[in-house]
Amino acid sequence: MRERGLRPLQVWVPDVRTPEFAAEARKQSVLVAQADATGRSWASHGDSIADRAAGATDAGSTAPTRRRVDIM
């Protein structure tokens, strides 16, 4: 693969087999469903959904900040 100009890359991902992952997935699914029920596009409100999923309640929250990283 190196001959083709590629290099190895190690990526760590969440373990989807854990109960914690299942609980977080359920919580975020509910938030998306609630946003969908209002008739608004959930995609346009992705940051607020993510903030609520992380436990943020207002602008002064201590929830961790997220940063979008585009990989090319």
Side-chain angles (χ1 to χ4, degrees):
M1 295 298 276
R2 288 185 194 272
E3 296 82 27
R4 296 173 46 195
L6 301 174
R7 66 183 180 92
L9 176 67
Q10 183 176 15
V11 179
W12 290 84
V13 297
D15 185 350
V16 299
R17 301 169 293 182
T18 66
E20 295 82 11
F21 183 91
E24 183 64 25
R26 265 191 300 282
K27 183 170 74 171
Q28 291 185 26
S29 296
V30 167
L31 292 171
V32 170
Q34 289 172 347
D36 190 43
T38 66
R40 299 181 309 191
S41 167
W42 67 266
S44 66
H45 300 286
D47 287 339
S48 66
I49 292 170
D51 288 343
R52 289 189 308 185
T57 57
D58 57 46
S61 172
T62 58
T65 57
R66 283 171 295 289
R67 178 178 56 177
R68 181 179 181 156
V69 177
D70 294 319
I71 300 174
M72 297 192 191

